[in-house]
Amino acid sequence: MDESRYTVDVDESGRVVSAPVDPDGEDEGSGILLAHVTERARWASETTGVAAEAHLLAGGVPEALADLAKRRDAALLVVGTSDTSFRSGMHAFFTGSVATHLAHHQERPILVVPSARA
C-alpha cells in the first residue's frame, strides 16, 4: 500500500492506475515494491497451494483493501495485526487499526491474524 499515491482510475482488469500526491516526488520505489510482493505471493502460492495475488494499491489502506475485495468478489479478508511497539500502538490509537476500520465499514467477513511474538 502506498499512501503517497492516490487512485486515478481502475481499468477493466482491476489494475489500479495511480498518481503521486506530490508530483515532484520520486516514483521508482513502487515498481521495486510490486516486484518484491509479487515474488512473495508466487512463493506463498507454491509453498501452500493457496492462490495468492499481488496488487499495488494507492490511498488509505482500509479503503483500498475494501475496494479491492469488492472488485474481486472476495469471500473473506485476511489481515494481520500490527507489531506491539509503542510507536505502533500510538499510531493505532490515533488512526485506528485497519482491521477495526474494515469491520465497521464493509460487509465481508474478516479474519485477523495476530503478529508473531518473539
Side-chain angles (χ1 to χ4, degrees):
M1 182 60 58
D2 188 350
E3 292 186 358
S4 68
R5 302 182 66 80
Y6 66 95
T7 301
V8 174
D9 194 16
V10 178
D11 68 17
E12 53 277 345
S13 71
R15 187 178 70 86
V16 172
V17 179
S18 65
V21 172
D22 177 2
D24 296 328
E26 294 295 320
D27 195 30
E28 59 193 44
S30 296
I32 295 168
L33 175 62
L34 182 57
H36 175 72
V37 173
T38 299
E39 176 58 28
R40 296 290 295 169
R42 184 195 60 75
W43 176 84
S45 291
E46 291 175 356
T47 304
T48 64
V50 176
E53 297 176 353
H55 296 271
L56 183 60
L57 305 173
V61 175
E63 297 84 1
L65 286 174
D67 181 61
L68 178 63
K70 183 176 182 177
R71 285 187 282 115
R72 301 294 292 171
D73 194 26
L76 173 73
L77 286 168
V78 180
V79 296
T81 58
S82 57
D83 63 45
T84 57
S85 69
F86 177 76
R87 181 177 177 202
S88 176
M90 290 303 293
H91 182 266
F93 175 78
F94 286 109
T95 63
S97 73
V98 170
T100 300
H101 188 278
L102 287 170
H104 290 271
H105 295 96
Q106 58 85 45
E107 68 278 357
R108 298 179 194 287
I110 300 168
L111 172 63
V112 180
V113 180
S115 64
R117 307 276 185 228

